[in-house]
Amino acid sequence: MARRTTSNSTGSPPGPRNRTPQPLPRRRRSAGDFVKAFLALVALLVLLVGVPGALATQMGWPLPSGAPKVEWLQQEITVDTFINVLTVVVWFAWAQFTACVLVEVKAALSGVGLPNRVPGAGPSQLLARQLVAALLLVGATAASFTPGLSQLGQQLEGNQRPAVAAAAQQTPGGLLAQQQGQTAASAAALAEQAAGAAAHAEGGALAAEGDTKFYRIQPPEGRHHDSLWEVAERHLGDGRRYKEIYQLNKDRTQPDGSKLSEASLIRPGWIMEMPGDARGGELVEMPDEAPKVSPEVQRQISDYAKTGAAHQQGGGQQGGGQQGGGAGSGSLDRDTAHISLPEQRPTPDRDRGQDRGQGQQQDGRDQAAPPAGEGSGFGLPQALLGAPLLAAGLLGALGRRRRQALWQSALGAVGGRRGMEPPTPTGAAADAQDALLVGADPEGVRLLDRSLRGLAASLAGESRPLPTVYAAWMSGNGDLHLQLAQPAGRPPAPWQLGQDQTFWMLARADAERYEDVDAAAPYPGLVSLGTMDDSRLLLNLESVPGIVSLSGREQDRAGVFASVAAELATNGWSDRMTITLVGFGEDLTPLAPNRLRHLDDVEALVETMEAETRQRRGALGAAGQDSVLTGRTGPAQHTRWAPHLVLLAAEPSAEDAVKLAELAADASRLGIGYLVGTQSGDLPGAAWEMEITSEGKLLAPLLGLELDAQLLPVSQQRAVVELFTDADPERDDDRPATTPPFLVDISEQGRPAVYARLVGPYEIIGLETPDGERSPLLHEALALLLLHREGVHPRVLSSALWPRGVTDDVRDALVERLRGWLGTDPDGTARLAADATGRLKLAKSVVSDLDVLRSLYHEATQGRGAGSRAVRGRLLTDALVLVRGPLLAERPAGRYGWLTHEIIDAQLPLLVADIGLALSAFHLEKDRAEKAIEALDAALGSAPGDERLWHELLRATHATGDTDRLKRLAADLVARSGARGLPPRTEALLDELLPTWRSGVAAAG
């Protein structure tokens, strides 16, 4: 759920921005225009007056003067009869054409709305429109009539559809000749309107590439009045992007002389400029449509496009990307390493519409993401909000740690914590957790990992080595650019060459088609350093030909080192690695104890790395490999050549610095990287030098970099570590962890006002069903709040419901609708309110079956049931009855994606298993084996993978004395285990209860 800003093909960010309104360009009327108008007037007079006059004087009235008689049917059909029939047809055609002219004139004079469609008058109405347009082109109403010209050259489809929106689109078949024969004045009017709207595009370059598109607001024919939300939903795929259209057209003069001042007030006939990724048949692209107009107008549009902001800024931007010694020249070697910003290129599938979902996501994130450095995080740590890859790694590692704690508690029977919630974070830890949920971009991590592994697999299939990659750039539109140390030929498809031979680029649309492959992570040393021009830089620490030095104040360097260490320890695009921390980070080891190692001083580091360097050189020689990169694509890819990254925060002495420089001289070939802090900035053996400023800028002048640094300040570092230490399964905790986070009154007096059934199919009792379109969103929001009785931050709620991002006003409107739907308690208290920290919490009168399930089990084992056997049995039975299936069964596809960040999928089966085990023990105490088996079978329905339930089922079945039944159960267990076989504990239990089970299973097989 990271927040990124989409970049267009020129590198300038698209989307909403305020621009100075410009008047429509005016064109002086020529003598030819007046001639064409005069000819149109003559044609109209001939068709409207001359035709009926000629019919009346030459043919007379063709219809009979009397009533029809039967004898008429017996009369001979003469030439006069045939002429009279044709005359009637001509009269009807004239009447239809006259109606078309009146309709077109009325629409032209009013200047608002599209002309009404005359039934069955396609060609006639098109001719009438052309003649009226030519006539009014030189009149006072020409400006207001111009929007009506947008349909010139389009085929009217009879009764199939209303008049289409602004698009001079290519027409099929015979209409092409008709379109080519349109009057030059009509085409000029169309070009003037399109050029006027194009004057407000983001740059002439975009117009030149056909990215500037327009839409004409439709009249309310057979539907509601058109709205910007509906336009965005139809052509951008997401109604929430209506603000982009509003910002592109705000305060610009419309054809009727009025202006768009409020997003909710639009009129039929208005022209709307659309974002570049808009799709749909009702759009027009300029100047791609310019060949349909005169060469003069084409030249005017082309000349104007060259004056756009994108062309004026393009050269400087590209030059800036190449500063610092000619980065990306295609002739770099190990001694002249440089990093440069890649050119922002459109994805290859852009014109095929395959980046539509990406555009929705990125633009949505752009709306919701707060500017860096501002206090717009709603109380959340801004550093974590702006580090999507780091946040995703931390969130994934935290989820794994919590699940590990749950299973270890369950299988090891630690205390009484089985199936219960982990400790609820508070204070700074709660803010850090919310920031991780809001800022994380797990989809970006997944695509990065699959893309890199897919590249490695493709190169291995072609027997090509992995190229040395200095850095990776993730652009705002989701494209991935790898910057190579030196040219390595053409990349395997779907990768393609970037701006030069040292860049390999993969479009996001192609990355989304990658699947998981069995390949080692090729570049596990990539780590985020910051952003530059809306692109995120990941430096490959293990490929740097020497030491990377970081200078600056100690407290500023600490934020960079902590961020690098945390991301390396938890990222999702590496398999194994060792990260050695020196001079800092002893408290960071709980993030990944298997990866992070802390050393006390530089002396211990030098001793360790000397041995490591010798060992790796020997291993490479023995394997016949040139470097770890060639080894990672070989047969031992999954067991060897993991990187070793050294982060030394304290500045080494001169002697130690020389030793480190000697070790680092060959480090890139061995898969070892060094990031060393220095106060002065002068460090021997430093291949790349960087500096962190007090303003959060990461500078590398020789590399041409000036990044907004990714930092993890000390306060946020401590909060994140607290989340991990609280989830440690081996932590000695005196807190009452067995108490559920929310206990309900399970007596008759505690009947809730609103009751939601989450365990199984989702049902709500006590509330009216909301409107059809809003019902799924409100149900999902309520489910999230019910699973977090401690409260949900508003930004967490919006990130969960709209992973692609949403504006604050849409989020606030949903919260208000949810509050109104839930209503109030009898005392007037709202059932949805915000606590002192701003988090949204439900009242105690809103209860779920999961709350009741936890409360029943707690009361049975820790409350009244602990002292009364009868009460315990009744409570456990009531609890098991509530279990109807998995959590939120049959939930709609595409929703509830936030459940991947939850551990409820591990908690609920453990809780159900605990209830089933407790109820089984209750029945076995009285030798009721069948009742015990019934309880265990019910629990296995929701927790089929819990080994404890199967063991207890074996014991209960053995208690029945039915040996055949026990054999069938053993055979079923063996069949379920498949090729991996039974767990050792299960085999041991079967050996005790049924010593002949092995032969019995073999006989059954």
Side-chain angles (χ1 to χ4, degrees):
M1 293 177 283
R3 302 296 186 249
R4 298 185 296 273
T5 306
T6 305
S7 294
N8 55 32
S9 60
T10 62
S12 60
R17 61 180 64 195
N18 295 327
R19 282 172 287 183
T20 304
Q22 301 179 18
L24 291 174
R26 303 193 62 175
R27 174 177 175 269
R28 293 186 177 182
R29 293 160 179 78
S30 63
D33 293 335
F34 286 96
V35 172
K36 294 167 187 174
F38 175 77
L39 295 177
L41 176 61
V42 172
L44 287 173
L45 290 176
V46 170
L47 293 174
L48 296 179
V49 180
V51 170
L55 290 173
T57 57
Q58 300 298 323
M59 305 301 300
W61 188 251
L63 298 179
S65 57
K69 297 180 181 180
V70 177
E71 292 81 44
W72 291 1
L73 300 177
Q74 301 174 353
Q75 293 180 359
E76 181 181 358
I77 298 178
T78 64
V79 174
D80 291 338
T81 304
F82 183 72
I83 292 175
N84 287 338
V85 171
L86 290 180
T87 304
V88 172
V89 173
V90 174
W91 273 107
F92 275 114
W94 170 84
Q96 186 186 58
F97 179 78
T98 303
C100 293
V101 172
L102 294 176
V103 167
E104 294 296 328
V105 171
K106 178 181 180 296
L109 295 177
S110 65
V112 179
L114 292 174
N116 293 324
R117 178 172 50 83
V118 178
S124 297
Q125 189 165 4
L126 182 60
L127 176 60
R129 185 173 307 162
Q130 294 175 3
L131 293 175
V132 174
L135 177 63
L136 297 183
L137 182 63
V138 296
T141 59
S144 63
F145 184 72
T146 302
L149 301 178
S150 61
Q151 294 186 14
L152 289 178
Q154 291 189 356
Q155 179 180 8
L156 298 179
E157 301 177 5
N159 296 324
Q160 299 300 317
R161 58 175 291 183
V164 293
Q169 298 179 354
Q170 187 73 19
T171 54
L175 281 183
L176 180 59
Q178 183 182 20
Q179 172 185 340
Q180 293 174 343
Q182 293 172 0
T183 64
S186 300
L190 169 62
E192 287 179 1
Q193 175 66 26
H200 299 274
E202 291 185 4
L206 288 178
E209 295 173 5
D211 283 350
T212 304
K213 306 176 184 180
F214 303 92
Y215 174 81
R216 190 160 183 246
I217 302 301
Q218 297 292 293
E221 294 185 6
R223 55 183 173 83
H224 296 294
H225 285 271
D226 216 343
S227 67
L228 292 186
W229 181 283
E230 293 175 342
V231 173
E233 194 167 36
R234 287 197 302 270
H235 298 292
L236 300 176
D238 191 344
R240 297 184 298 271
R241 296 182 62 187
Y242 76 95
K243 284 194 173 182
E244 296 178 43
I245 307 176
Y246 172 70
Q247 292 292 343
L248 287 173
N249 299 277
K250 176 183 176 184
D251 296 331
R252 292 167 62 175
T253 303
Q254 291 292 334
D256 60 355
S258 56
K259 298 180 180 180
L260 177 65
S261 58
E262 295 184 28
S264 59
L265 299 179
I266 59 175
R267 302 178 186 176
W270 280 9
I271 301 296
M272 295 288 121
E273 180 182 337
M274 302 290 289
D277 62 339
R279 296 289 185 269
E282 299 177 347
L283 300 172
V284 61
E285 300 185 15
M286 292 297 295
D288 285 350
E289 299 291 338
K292 300 178 182 179
V293 298
S294 66
E296 179 186 359
V297 176
Q298 295 182 39
R299 182 183 57 80
Q300 292 175 354
I301 296 177
S302 178
D303 291 343
Y304 177 80
K306 294 178 181 179
T307 64
H311 275 282
Q312 295 174 357
Q313 298 175 1
Q317 180 181 0
Q318 294 178 14
Q322 300 294 336
Q323 64 180 331
S329 63
S331 60
L332 301 179
D333 55 27
R334 295 179 181 271
D335 298 325
T336 58
H338 298 276
I339 301 295
S340 63
L341 182 68
E343 295 176 353
Q344 302 303 306
R345 297 163 43 135
T347 62
D349 295 322
R350 178 171 187 150
D351 294 334
R352 299 196 297 269
Q354 296 186 10
D355 61 338
R356 178 174 178 175
Q358 172 198 339
Q360 296 173 21
Q361 176 179 1
Q362 300 304 330
D363 290 332
R365 295 187 188 280
D366 185 27
Q367 294 174 22
E374 293 186 9
S376 54
F378 206 137
L380 300 183
Q382 190 63 40
L384 293 175
L385 292 175
L389 304 183
L390 170 61
L394 290 171
L395 195 60
L398 181 60
R400 291 190 296 270
R401 179 68 55 84
R402 287 173 171 172
R403 284 178 171 82
Q404 178 187 1
L406 285 172
W407 284 106
Q408 186 168 335
S409 298
L411 299 178
V414 177
R417 295 180 58 186
R418 291 178 294 178
M420 297 304 170
E421 291 273 357
T424 301
T426 58
D431 290 339
Q433 177 174 274
D434 289 340
L436 293 178
L437 290 169
V438 174
D441 182 18
E443 179 66 10
V445 171
R446 184 182 68 86
L447 290 180
L448 176 62
D449 181 46
R450 286 187 174 184
S451 301
L452 296 177
R453 293 179 192 269
L455 175 63
S458 298
L459 290 173
E462 299 176 4
S463 299
R464 295 172 59 185
L466 286 167
T468 300
V469 170
Y470 280 151
W473 291 92
M474 296 185 68
S475 63
N477 61 6
D479 296 345
L480 176 62
H481 302 255
L482 296 183
Q483 186 166 354
L484 313 184
Q486 53 191 0
R490 295 200 63 85
W495 290 77
Q496 56 186 302
L497 287 175
Q499 63 197 52
D500 57 40
Q501 294 291 324
T502 62
F503 275 96
W504 284 4
M505 192 271 286
L506 179 68
R508 183 185 178 98
D510 293 325
E512 290 172 343
R513 290 192 286 270
Y514 262 121
E515 297 180 355
D516 292 328
V517 295
D518 185 21
Y523 305 111
L526 287 170
V527 63
S528 303
L529 292 184
T531 58
M532 177 181 180
D533 291 348
D534 195 36
S535 293
R536 184 169 300 276
L537 171 65
L538 289 86
L539 181 66
N540 190 6
L541 281 178
E542 67 168 336
S543 70
V544 178
I547 294 175
V548 179
S549 68
L550 178 65
S551 62
R553 298 187 307 173
E554 183 178 358
Q555 59 268 36
D556 298 326
R557 299 200 313 264
V560 176
F561 274 100
S563 172
V564 170
E567 185 169 297
L568 288 173
T570 61
N571 72 55
W573 55 87
S574 62
D575 297 321
R576 297 181 306 112
M577 70 172 61
T578 300
I579 308 164
T580 299
L581 311 180
V582 184
F584 82 107
E586 186 175 4
D587 54 341
L588 289 175
T589 52
L591 300 183
N594 295 330
R595 286 191 179 186
L596 291 172
R597 176 178 63 178
H598 181 266
L599 296 180
D600 294 331
D601 50 39
V602 180
E603 183 179 353
L605 172 66
V606 171
E607 181 180 351
T608 300
M609 296 314 300
E610 285 177 344
E612 177 85 7
T613 301
R614 287 194 301 269
Q615 187 273 332
R616 291 202 171 214
R617 283 174 178 163
L620 279 178
Q625 303 290 349
D626 177 63
S627 70
V628 295
L629 287 179
T630 57
R632 282 177 187 155
T633 56
Q637 55 179 320
H638 291 292
T639 58
R640 305 170 69 175
W641 321 122
H644 186 167
L645 304 176
V646 176
L647 307 181
L648 174 58
E651 182 172 8
S653 64
E655 181 181 356
D656 291 334
V658 172
K659 293 180 180 179
L660 289 175
E662 293 174 353
L663 292 172
D666 196 28
S668 60
R669 186 176 69 90
L670 305 176
I672 302 175
Y674 293 87
L675 177 62
V676 180
T678 174
Q679 186 73 32
S680 61
D682 184 13
L683 189 68
W688 294 349
E689 297 178 347
M690 298 187 298
E691 176 188 0
I692 179 66
T693 69
S694 57
E695 291 79 21
K697 294 289 185 179
L698 191 64
L699 309 178
L702 296 179
L703 303 179
L705 296 179
E706 181 177 343
L707 306 173
D708 293 322
Q710 178 173 298
L711 306 172
L712 186 60
V714 175
S715 58
Q716 297 174 32
Q717 172 185 329
R718 292 172 179 169
V720 169
V721 171
E722 182 181 341
L723 293 173
F724 281 80
T725 54
D726 284 347
D728 188 352
E730 299 180 358
R731 177 179 178 181
D732 185 12
D733 200 346
D734 297 332
R735 290 176 291 184
T738 57
T739 302
F742 177 70
L743 291 173
V744 300
D745 185 356
I746 57 178
S747 65
E748 285 295 328
Q749 293 74 22
R751 187 178 299 274
V754 178
Y755 182 67
R757 305 178 73 183
L758 304 179
V759 185
Y762 192 1
E763 300 176 7
I764 298 179
I765 302 172
L767 291 177
E768 296 290 337
T769 302
D771 296 341
E773 295 181 358
R774 296 170 178 170
S775 179
L777 206 59
L778 292 175
H779 278 70
E780 186 175 356
L782 180 58
L784 177 62
L785 291 167
L786 285 167
L787 292 177
H788 290 276
R789 304 302 305 223
E790 74 278 7
V792 176
H793 196 285
R795 293 198 63 181
V796 174
L797 178 66
S798 62
S799 296
L801 300 181
W802 294 284
R804 297 173 178 174
V806 72
T807 54
D808 292 346
D809 57 342
V810 175
R811 177 198 66 202
D812 296 340
L814 173 77
V815 172
E816 289 304 316
R817 283 195 294 269
L818 182 60
R819 183 177 286 112
W821 180 42
L822 293 175
T824 59
D825 286 331
D827 60 358
T829 304
R831 293 177 181 145
L832 176 63
D835 62 10
T837 64
R839 289 175 172 81
L840 301 171
K841 296 183 67 174
L842 293 172
K844 294 183 178 180
S845 58
V846 183
V847 173
S848 72
D849 55 355
L850 185 59
D851 298 326
V852 178
L853 189 68
R854 288 165 168 161
S855 300
L856 286 171
Y857 178 65
H858 177 265
E859 190 68 17
T861 56
Q862 306 293 325
R864 292 180 294 119
S868 172
R869 187 179 185 280
V871 172
R872 181 169 71 256
R874 176 173 57 82
L875 293 175
L876 291 173
T877 302
D878 292 344
L880 203 56
V881 169
L882 292 176
V883 181
R884 301 175 298 125
L887 185 77
L888 295 169
E890 303 174 5
R891 56 181 177 265
R895 291 196 175 273
Y896 299 88
W898 46 270
L899 283 173
T900 59
H901 300 312
E902 306 283 341
I903 61 170
I904 186 63
D905 59 335
Q907 290 174 293
L908 181 59
L910 288 176
L911 177 59
V912 173
D914 286 345
I915 295 172
L917 292 171
L919 188 56
S920 172
F922 171 82
H923 289 305
L924 288 177
E925 288 177 2
K926 295 296 184 179
D927 296 327
R928 294 196 291 264
E930 292 296 337
K931 288 288 187 180
I933 293 174
E934 182 180 345
L936 293 169
D937 285 338
L940 282 169
S942 293
D946 197 308
E947 187 180 0
R948 300 171 300 155
L949 289 175
W950 291 106
H951 291 175
E952 198 64 23
L953 183 59
L954 286 171
R955 295 188 180 96
T957 304
H958 180 265
T960 63
D962 190 341
T963 305
D964 293 337
R965 187 175 181 180
L966 184 59
K967 289 180 180 179
R968 290 195 297 271
L969 179 58
D972 183 41
L973 278 174
V974 172
R976 286 174 177 271
S977 63
R980 66 178 181 272
L982 291 174
R985 294 184 181 182
T986 305
E987 287 189 355
L989 181 59
L990 281 173
D991 288 337
E992 177 186 348
L993 301 179
L994 188 64
T996 61
W997 70 275
R998 300 177 190 274
S999 58
V1001 170

